[in-house]
């Protein structure tokens, strides 16, 4: 049998990371749609605020031009700001037990005429506006909150012509001015960026060919930005508490390769304490929006979560949780019922709540697994990201008495349904089950009842 997973819950390997975050919050469409119960069910730990109430923040949410609508106004005057809608949006996030990652900047602009993505004319003033936004949400300024928002991200994908009209040097200046000001005012928050478009050149041009297609040229420019930005921050001692980046791919191994690149880049520049945050990720490829909510999306999502855990991603946020956007593969638009991909996040939350990563080894193509324990409970999440049906054997090491197991499946025929259960003991510590094409599993292991 080639498809085998070996898990040793007695061999701890550190903490399960908060990788099942999402972009945006539980209430959307002017608070008409409310997925708060499902956010709690999946234990969503982080909500990144980008493209919130798209497009253009509906003129009221999160984006700098929505909160500070007249850039000619006085940034020190409370009357220059409108926080009302964003306050309610963030409160909904806090109410489900999640923490915001606040993206300071603007939403993406696909329209031919651009409105808000131009480099700010006065970086110092823009930074002052950001300071007051932080004060409102963390220090109660202008009848604000004491939300303790930790992560503050400066802009999003400035390498993209849909997100930044300006030079690379202008973005670097904006980042430096804003990061220094915010860190000087709020020493306890984490400041970072720049939400890179990604490092596709690493895997889409692995041979380093010099005759590049337009796509490869664009991807190489993304790498060039990162290779300039991280040393720029390191050499000038500019605060960079986290470096954020994005990836959309069918291949879970690309997530592993890009994560290793980010960690190596930061470490090479002496920024070993800087967190690596993948705060946009999802499936890609032909008919991807139709595939995301289905069994393939569940298997892909869980496989990616496993590879992020194994390759030093500190936190992550799936794109997107707004059911009005096609990238939302976790909720159905009209009913807000969970899709199959939702269960990839829910399964990861079970691991996350247990806390300690178990030592896991996997043999088999398209097979991914991650185990966790709290010392009493033991759980294994398994992704079968392949189209053929196959038999999988799990060997559970360290069993010293009769033990029961339950296997829950999410596949084309099931949505988190108990499909197998039984007993095992130290002389035969195996769980065998059929993994149909594209499937995700949660296996609960516990002492058998007397």
């Amino acid at each position: 049998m080639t498809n085998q997973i070996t898990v040793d819950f007695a061999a701890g390997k550190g903490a399960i990371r908060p990788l099942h975050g999402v972009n945006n919050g539980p209430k959307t469409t002017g608070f008409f749609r409310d997925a708060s119960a499902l956010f709690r069910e999946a234990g969503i730990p982080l909500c990144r605020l980008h493209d919130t109430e798209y497009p253009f923040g509906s003129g009221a949410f999160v984006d700098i031009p929505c909160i500070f609508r007249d850039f000619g106004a006085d940034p020190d005057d409370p009357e220059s700001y409108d926080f009302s809608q964003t306050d309610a949006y963030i409160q909904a996030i806090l109410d489900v037990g999640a923490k915001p990652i606040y993206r300071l900047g603007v939403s993406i602009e696909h329209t031919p005429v651009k409105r808000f993505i131009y480099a700010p004319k006065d970086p110092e003033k823009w930074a002052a506006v950001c300071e007051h936004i932080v004060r409102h949400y963390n220090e109660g300024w202008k009848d604000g909150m004491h939300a303790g928002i930790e992560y503050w991200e400066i802009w999003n994908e400035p390498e993209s012509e849909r997100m930044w009209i300006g030079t690379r040097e202008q973005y670097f200046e904006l980042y430096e001015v804003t990061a220094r000001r915010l860190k000087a005012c709020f020493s306890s928050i984490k400041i970072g960026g720049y939400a890179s478009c990604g490092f596709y050149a690493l895997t889409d041009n692995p041979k380093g060919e010099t005759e590049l297609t337009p796509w490869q040229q664009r991807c190489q420019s993304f790498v060039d930005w990162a290779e300039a930005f991280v040393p720029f921050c390191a050499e000038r001692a500019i605060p960079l508490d986290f470096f954020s980046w994005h990836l959309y791919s069918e291949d879970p191994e690309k997530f592993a390769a890009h994560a290793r690149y980010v960690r190596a880049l930061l470490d090479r520049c002496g920024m070993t304490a800087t967190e690596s945050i993948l705060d946009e990720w999802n499936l890609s490829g032909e008919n991807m929006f139709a595939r995301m909510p289905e069994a393939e999306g569940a298997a892909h999502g869980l496989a990616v979560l496993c590879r992020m855990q194994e390759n030093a991603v500190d936190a992550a946020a799936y794109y997107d949780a707004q059911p009005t956007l096609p990238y939302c593969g976790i909720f159905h638009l009209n009913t807000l019922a969970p899709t199959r991909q939702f269960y990839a996040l829910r399964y990861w939350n079970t691991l996350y709540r247990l806390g300690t990563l178990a030592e896991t080894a996997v043999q088999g193509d398209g097979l991914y697994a991650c185990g966790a324990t709290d010392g009493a409970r033991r759980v294994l999440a398994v992704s079968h990201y392949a189209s053929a049906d196959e038999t999988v054997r799990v060997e559970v090491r360290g069993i010293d008495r009769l033990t029961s197991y339950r296997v829950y499946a999410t596949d084309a025929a099931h949505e988190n349904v108990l499909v197998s259960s039984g007993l095992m003991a130290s002389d035969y510590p195996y769980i065998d089950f059929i993994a149909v094409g594209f499937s995700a599993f949660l296996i609960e292991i516990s002492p058998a009842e007397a």
Side-chain angles (χ1 to χ4, degrees):
M1 181 180 295
T2 58
N3 297 300
Q4 179 156 329
I5 300 164
T6 303
V7 58
D8 186 347
F9 291 101
K13 295 184 63 179
I16 300 288
R17 302 189 187 99
L19 303 176
H20 54 307
V22 296
N23 275 258
N24 296 302
K27 295 184 179 180
T28 188
T29 322
F31 305 100
F32 174 72
R33 291 182 171 88
D34 185 357
S36 294
L38 290 171
F39 268 63
R40 292 188 183 96
E41 181 180 337
I44 300 300
L46 299 167
C47 293
R48 177 182 181 243
L49 303 182
H50 173 64
D51 290 343
T52 305
E53 293 295 283
Y54 187 80
F56 312 122
S58 293
F61 294 88
V62 176
D63 291 359
I64 298 289
C66 296
I67 289 177
F68 190 76
R69 296 183 178 180
D70 178 8
F71 200 71
D74 180 0
D76 294 324
D77 184 356
E79 297 306 311
S80 301
Y81 298 81
D82 182 358
F83 292 105
S84 55
Q85 298 284 56
T86 306
D87 283 358
Y89 196 90
I90 288 178
Q91 187 60 55
I93 292 171
L94 300 175
D95 287 346
V96 298
K99 297 179 180 180
I101 299 176
Y102 199 115
R103 187 272 293 124
L104 295 162
V106 297
S107 298
I108 196 168
E109 298 194 22
H110 295 288
T111 53
V113 177
K114 309 304 181 187
R115 299 173 62 186
F116 304 119
I117 64 172
Y118 293 89
K121 295 179 181 179
D122 185 344
E124 294 285 355
K125 185 173 184 178
W126 194 87
V129 172
C130 293
E131 175 198 331
H132 286 82
I133 293 174
V134 178
R135 291 199 185 283
H136 175 80
Y137 286 109
N138 282 2
E139 296 184 350
W141 182 78
K142 200 197 172 182
D143 299 319
M145 307 167 72
H146 294 270
I149 298 176
E150 185 177 19
Y151 290 95
W152 297 86
E153 185 177 46
I154 299 172
W155 215 264
N156 172 79
E157 296 186 357
E159 325 99 299
S160 170
E161 67 278 4
R162 296 186 180 98
M163 279 302 316
W164 180 260
I165 297 177
T167 66
R168 187 165 75 181
E169 291 72 25
Q170 283 177 303
Y171 175 74
F172 285 14
E173 179 188 10
L174 181 71
Y175 182 87
E176 179 175 11
V177 167
T178 307
R180 290 194 188 283
R181 182 172 188 137
L182 294 184
K183 186 60 80 170
C185 294
F186 316 100
S187 60
S188 63
I189 67 172
K190 293 180 180 179
I191 301 160
Y194 52 86
S196 165
C197 289
F199 311 107
Y200 299 88
L202 303 174
T203 46
D204 292 17
N205 182 28
K207 296 182 180 178
E209 298 174 358
T210 55
E211 294 295 327
L212 303 180
T213 66
W215 165 246
Q216 289 174 328
Q217 291 175 5
R218 189 164 183 257
C219 291
Q220 185 57 51
S221 73
F222 300 161
V223 175
D224 293 343
W225 265 73
E227 293 284 350
F229 177 75
V230 175
F232 172 78
C233 291
E235 292 164 5
R236 298 172 66 89
I238 301 168
L240 184 65
D241 298 308
F242 65 92
F243 179 73
S244 51
W245 52 285
H246 301 158
L247 177 57
Y248 295 84
S249 175
E250 294 175 297
D251 185 357
E253 296 309 313
K254 289 188 178 181
F255 288 86
H258 291 208
R260 290 193 296 269
Y261 165 76
V262 171
R263 189 68 265 161
L265 172 61
L266 293 169
D267 292 351
R268 187 172 76 235
C269 294
M271 308 193 84
T272 57
T274 298
E275 297 177 35
S276 171
I277 298 183
L278 173 53
D279 61 10
E280 281 190 31
W281 67 272
N282 209 327
L283 184 68
S284 67
E286 187 176 357
N287 298 321
M288 60 186 184
F289 298 128
R291 291 153 56 207
M292 285 173 184
E294 301 304 331
E296 184 180 352
H300 174 270
L302 191 54
V304 169
L305 291 164
C306 289
R307 296 305 277 145
M308 285 193 275
Q309 175 71 38
E310 294 160 356
N311 288 276
V313 175
D314 293 292
Y318 168 88
Y319 187 94
D320 189 286
Q322 297 177 109
T324 53
L325 295 185
Y327 280 95
C328 179
I330 58 175
F331 305 129
H332 291 290
L333 173 61
N334 293 321
T335 64
L336 276 186
T339 67
R340 286 172 170 81
Q341 194 183 59
F342 168 84
Y343 290 101
L345 303 182
R346 187 178 180 273
Y347 289 174
W348 194 262
N349 182 59
T350 303
L351 304 180
Y352 180 66
R353 297 303 172 190
L354 293 182
T356 300
L357 178 67
E359 186 173 281
T360 306
V362 177
Q363 292 178 313
D365 294 336
L367 196 61
Y368 303 85
C370 185
T373 181
D374 62 0
R377 296 179 61 207
R378 292 172 285 185
V379 170
L380 181 71
V382 178
S383 166
H384 176 56
Y385 187 54
S387 58
D389 296 0
E390 296 177 307
T391 300
V392 176
R393 166 164 285 181
V394 176
E395 178 183 355
V396 183
R397 293 186 174 173
I399 296 176
D400 58 4
R401 54 178 171 165
L402 198 63
T403 301
S404 68
Y405 66 85
R406 293 176 298 278
V407 180
Y408 296 86
T410 296
D411 53 35
H414 304 97
E415 293 187 31
N416 190 42
V417 173
L418 178 66
V419 294
S420 178
S421 62
L423 298 172
M424 58 183 168
S426 57
D427 59 344
Y428 196 80
Y430 300 111
I431 303 170
D432 295 327
F433 61 93
I434 300 297
V436 301
F438 297 124
S439 47
F441 302 88
L442 189 71
I443 303 174
E444 298 178 345
I445 301 166
S446 59
E449 295 182 2

